[in-house]
């Protein structure tokens, strides 16, 4: 640990009764505690005194007083424990773990970005399209769209993951993904408005396996707060608000949209559940009577429905950097809908 918080007010209050020598010895002891990130070894007092640079008799007496005043001696281990230091170290270690996770995610995203860029360059070279090696990604995407319209650009992005790609934990069985157009999707499509009307609540026999299967349809960076997700799924399914098959079918149907552009517009799984996104537009692929296919009649009721309608109408995608609120993008889509379809109701 390279640094630690030093609160002047707390320090002065706690050491007001100490002499200048004792305050100095106390700071030396704290520095060693934080530097080694662990309690002081008191099995050999003379060795500990030497480490704290207490050589003279009065310095050793000051050390003894400090240890007795501010530290707790563990007889079994022979260690001097400082509880305030332990709390600071625990917070520091938790922060280290979070920073490591963030760094890992950044490294993975950078690797995926470089891989996509390299693959797109390779396809462009095959088509004899010259482009600067240091061209920015929007320029590369534009060239790719112009010269390679027959190549699926999504395969160079974050491909939809499947449950079978998740690492299996001990004694955990992850069922395969529901097949496209299977009974699960049909059940979800047929009961969009009242998913569980007239049905008895379902009991999840293996919640952990089910949660793992559902998470598989989302980008990895959106699979957060898994414990809360598990609790909410059990509450929704066993409370009779939705069937487990409907959740899986909806997630399978929406997977391609959720994972598009590295999951930029994808909500985390917890939000997806709280906002009942399993009834979103991408669950069903039907005509809504407005001349637009692939978008249900209630497209204005969900974010994904608005985005699908915008894509169908050729509206420029929502730019989170320029348009702070999604509402601005929604207004653009509604205006385009009214202009192109003569104000027809959807």
């Amino acid at each position: 640990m390279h640094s630690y918080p030093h609160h002047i007010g707390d320090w002065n209050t706690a050491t007001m009764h100490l002499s200048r020598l004792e305050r100095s010895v106390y700071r030396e002891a704290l520095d060693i505690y934080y530097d080694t990130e662990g309690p002081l070894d008191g099995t050999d007092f003379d060795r500990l005194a030497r480490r704290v640079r207490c050589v003279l008799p009065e310095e050793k007496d000051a050390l003894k007083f400090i240890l007795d005043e501010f530290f707790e001696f563990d007889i079994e281990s022979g260690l001097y424990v400082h509880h305030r230091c332990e709390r600071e170290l625990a917070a520091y270690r938790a922060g280290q773990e979070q920073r490591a996770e963030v760094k890992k995610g950044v490294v993975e995203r950078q690797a995926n970005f470089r891989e996509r860029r390299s693959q797109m360059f390779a396809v462009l070279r095959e088509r004899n399209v010259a482009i600067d090696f240091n061209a920015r990604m929007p320029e590369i995407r534009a060239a790719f769209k112009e010269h390679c319209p027959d190549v699926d650009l999504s395969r160079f992005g974050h491909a939809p993951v499947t449950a079978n790609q998740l690492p299996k934990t001990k004694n955990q069985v992850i069922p395969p993904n529901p097949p496209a157009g299977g009974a699960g999707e049909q059940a979800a499509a047929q009961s969009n408005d009242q998913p569980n009307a007239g049905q008895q609540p379902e009991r999840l026999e293996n919640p952990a396996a089910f949660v793992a299967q559902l998470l598989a349809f989302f980008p990895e960076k959106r699979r957060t707060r898994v414990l809360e997700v598990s609790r909410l799924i059990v509450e929704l399914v066993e409370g009779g608000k939705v069937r487990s098959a409907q959740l899986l079918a909806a997630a399978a149907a929406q997977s391609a949209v959720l994972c598009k552009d590295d999951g930029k517009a994808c909500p985390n799984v917890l939000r997806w559940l709280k906002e009942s996104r399993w009834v979103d537009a991408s669950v069903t692929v039907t005509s809504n009577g407005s001349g637009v296919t692939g978008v249900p009649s209630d497209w204005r009721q969900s974010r994904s429905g608005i985005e699908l309608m915008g894509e169908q109408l050729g509206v420029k995608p929502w730019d989170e950097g320029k348009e702070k609120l999604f509402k601005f993008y929604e207004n653009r889509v509604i205006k385009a809908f009214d202009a192109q379809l003569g104000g027809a109701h959807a």
Side-chain angles (χ1 to χ4, degrees):
M1 191 172 183
H2 303 293
S3 62
Y4 62 89
H6 177 70
H7 303 285
I8 298 175
D10 293 348
W11 167 260
N12 287 334
T13 301
T15 62
M16 190 176 298
H17 61 295
L18 301 182
S19 66
R20 186 175 299 275
L21 174 60
E22 289 167 342
R23 282 167 63 100
S24 175
V25 171
Y26 189 18
R27 284 301 300 269
E28 289 285 353
L30 291 178
D31 286 347
I32 294 175
Y33 204 111
Y34 284 117
D35 183 53
T36 59
E37 298 184 19
L40 303 178
D41 186 359
T43 55
D44 187 339
F45 178 79
D46 291 335
R47 183 180 180 84
L48 175 59
R50 191 60 180 255
R51 292 185 64 199
V52 188
R53 290 183 286 189
C54 293
V55 179
L56 300 176
E58 57 269 26
E59 294 173 340
K60 292 184 178 181
D61 290 341
L63 176 59
K64 290 179 180 178
F65 178 78
I66 291 300
L67 293 174
D68 182 64
E69 182 77 3
F70 298 102
F71 294 78
E72 181 178 338
F73 184 67
D74 186 345
I75 299 177
E76 294 183 0
S77 63
L79 300 176
Y80 283 98
V81 179
H82 193 290
H83 295 294
R84 171 66 178 271
C85 293
E86 289 298 319
R87 291 196 298 271
E88 296 291 349
L89 287 172
Y92 170 76
R93 293 183 183 114
Q96 285 286 87
E97 293 178 359
Q98 293 176 356
R99 286 188 287 272
E101 287 296 323
V102 171
K103 183 176 180 180
K104 179 182 177 182
V106 170
V107 171
E108 289 179 353
R109 287 194 294 274
Q110 289 176 342
N112 291 335
F113 178 86
R114 288 192 292 268
E115 183 180 358
R116 288 197 304 273
R117 185 184 178 93
S118 176
Q119 291 172 333
M120 294 170 70
F121 261 113
V123 175
L124 288 170
R125 283 196 298 269
E126 291 176 359
R127 303 291 175 92
N128 296 320
V129 178
I131 190 168
D132 292 339
F133 75 95
N134 61 346
R136 298 180 67 84
M137 200 60 169
E139 181 181 349
I140 299 173
R141 289 183 181 276
F144 196 91
K145 184 176 181 180
E146 178 182 356
H147 298 284
C148 311
D150 56 320
V151 180
D152 184 10
L153 185 60
S154 64
R155 70 187 178 94
F156 300 116
H158 184 105
V161 293
T162 65
N164 296 327
Q165 292 174 313
L166 282 182
K168 294 184 180 181
T169 57
K170 186 177 181 181
N171 298 328
Q172 179 183 359
V173 178
I174 301 179
N177 293 326
E185 289 188 33
Q186 294 174 6
Q190 293 171 0
S191 54
N192 262 349
D193 296 329
Q194 295 180 343
N196 204 32
Q199 298 180 6
Q200 292 297 323
E202 176 186 359
R203 181 169 181 79
L204 287 175
E205 298 297 334
N206 192 340
F210 177 80
V211 170
Q213 188 175 1
L214 182 68
L215 293 180
F217 294 110
F218 291 80
E220 185 174 356
K221 62 183 178 182
R222 302 304 185 196
R223 306 174 200 166
T224 58
R225 303 168 70 176
V226 178
L227 183 58
E228 294 180 56
V229 169
S230 302
R231 291 172 178 169
L232 182 55
I233 287 176
V234 172
E235 178 183 335
L236 291 172
V237 174
E238 298 190 357
K241 295 183 179 180
V242 66
R243 308 290 291 182
S244 60
Q246 291 171 263
L247 290 177
L248 292 178
Q254 298 178 26
S255 181
V257 176
L258 295 173
C259 296
K260 185 179 180 181
D261 296 330
D262 288 339
K264 178 181 178 181
C266 176
N268 60 43
V269 185
L270 188 63
R271 180 180 171 189
W272 187 85
L273 291 167
K274 286 183 175 180
E275 297 181 358
S276 302
R277 295 289 188 91
W278 60 81
V279 297
D280 268 4
S282 51
V283 177
T284 58
V285 182
T286 60
S287 173
N288 60 11
S290 63
V292 179
T293 60
V295 184
S297 59
D298 60 346
W299 59 272
R300 297 189 188 186
Q301 304 303 316
S302 65
R303 172 170 168 167
S304 63
I306 294 170
E307 290 180 328
L308 283 174
M309 178 60 78
E311 183 177 348
Q312 292 283 352
L313 297 175
V315 178
K316 185 179 179 181
W318 176 53
D319 188 344
E320 188 173 0
K322 295 180 180 179
E323 294 177 311
K324 297 296 183 181
L325 299 176
F326 186 78
K327 186 69 176 177
F328 297 149
Y329 171 77
E330 181 182 357
N331 290 337
R332 287 199 287 121
V333 173
I334 293 175
K335 289 180 180 179
F337 179 82
D338 292 339
Q340 296 184 33
L341 301 175
H345 294 287

